[in-house]
Amino acid sequence: MPPGRLVTFEGADGSGKSTQARRLAADLAAAGHDVVLTREPGGSPGAEEIRRLLVSGDPGRWSAETEILLFTAARRDHLERLIRPALARGATVISDRFADSTRVYQGAARADLRAVVDRLHCDMIGLEPDLTLILDLPPETGLARGLARESGEDRFEDMGQGFQHRLVAGFRALATDAPERCVLIDARGAVDTVAERVRRAVEGRA
Ligand code: TMP
């Protein structure tokens, strides 16, 4: 893979993307790449503080509109302080979630606000990943896995089964809309099996 690339993992809660992001980062680092593994919301001290406001508490704590502003504020800080400097020195940045999560969670699944999300993204972020790996799992499987974790960060899992269905559909639609950078990965099966699918997708786009 050439240096200075942004690779993102996306998918509904419980799709296994954090495990796969860690795995890809370790494999690329072992192959000698300068790799920065990060996540959203978070990835910088300020964005991690905003994360705490977003992922816990009552599902109705924030409106979809307020969430868009908070996620975008966190992303802007992450971009300024971690992503852009790492890309500038030629690193491969692997982010567990990025702007596609806002497009799908706030722009499609919670409310029909995709145009607002896109405008704010254009004004405040203005960066698209070089490659996006979307981990695809049937909605029931993902929700059960996500809740079983008991992470204390279940605010979005608590939005229920209908929400989970809209998320999975939203990510599938995104893969169809942006095929130049998105690859839909079948996330069913063992961690090693899925990791092999990820590896092939990354090599295919190198
Ligand atoms: P995580 O569980 O993958 O760390 O993500 C935290 C939660 O935040 C997850 O339920 C998805 C949600 N989220 C959004 O709703 N919009 C966003 O833009 C991002 C980055 C995450």
Side-chain angles (χ1 to χ4, degrees), residues 11 13 17-18 39-41 51 54-55 67 71 75 96-103 105-106 149 153 155-157 163:
D13 301 276
K17 62 185 174 41
S18 305
R39 69 167 181 182
E40 289 205 349
R51 177 186 179 94
L54 281 160
V55 297
E67 278 175 11
F71 279 113
R75 183 162 305 128
D96 178 356
R97 296 196 185 281
F98 189 65
D100 292 322
S101 284
T102 316
R103 292 182 177 120
Y105 278 75
Q106 284 69 43
R149 274 201 302 256
E153 293 190 334
R155 191 172 154 256
F156 288 92
E157 278 100 325
F163 184 70

Side-chain angles (χ1 to χ4, degrees), residues 18-182:
S18 305
T19 304
Q20 294 300 331
R22 275 198 301 275
R23 176 82 173 250
L24 179 65
D27 289 351
L28 291 178
H33 292 271
D34 176 2
V35 180
V36 175
L37 175 63
T38 186
R39 69 167 181 182
E40 289 205 349
S44 62
E48 290 288 336
E49 285 196 40
I50 297 173
R51 177 186 179 94
R52 280 191 283 281
L53 298 174
L54 281 160
V55 297
S56 60
D58 189 74
R61 181 179 187 186
W62 310 110
S63 70
E65 287 82 353
T66 310
E67 278 175 11
I68 292 171
L69 294 168
L70 287 169
F71 279 113
T72 306
R75 183 162 305 128
R76 175 74 197 207
D77 192 64
H78 187 205
L79 192 69
E80 287 175 5
R81 287 162 202 267
L82 186 131
I83 298 178
R84 283 218 180 275
L87 291 177
R89 71 162 198 264
T92 297
V93 177
I94 298 178
S95 188
D96 178 356
R97 296 196 185 281
F98 189 65
D100 292 322
S101 284
T102 316
R103 292 182 177 120
V104 173
Y105 278 75
Q106 284 69 43
R110 278 213 71 189
D112 186 12
L113 288 169
R114 178 60 191 269
V116 177
V117 172
D118 285 347
R119 278 200 300 276
L120 207 55
H121 178 80
C122 182
D123 287 349
M124 286 294 145
I125 309 297
L127 176 73
E128 292 301 337
D130 297 287
L131 176 64
T132 297
L133 301 151
I134 299 176
L135 296 204
D136 183 66
L137 207 58
E140 297 76 16
T141 321
L143 187 59
R145 273 204 214 168
L147 287 170
R149 274 201 302 256
E150 293 183 356
S151 62
E153 293 190 334
D154 294 339
R155 191 172 154 256
F156 288 92
E157 278 100 325
D158 289 344
M159 291 185 187
Q161 197 70 248
F163 184 70
Q164 198 74 13
H165 277 85
R166 290 196 294 282
L167 286 180
V168 171
F171 279 116
R172 286 179 184 164
L174 201 74
T176 308
D177 291 348
E180 70 291 347
R181 69 172 173 88
C182 292

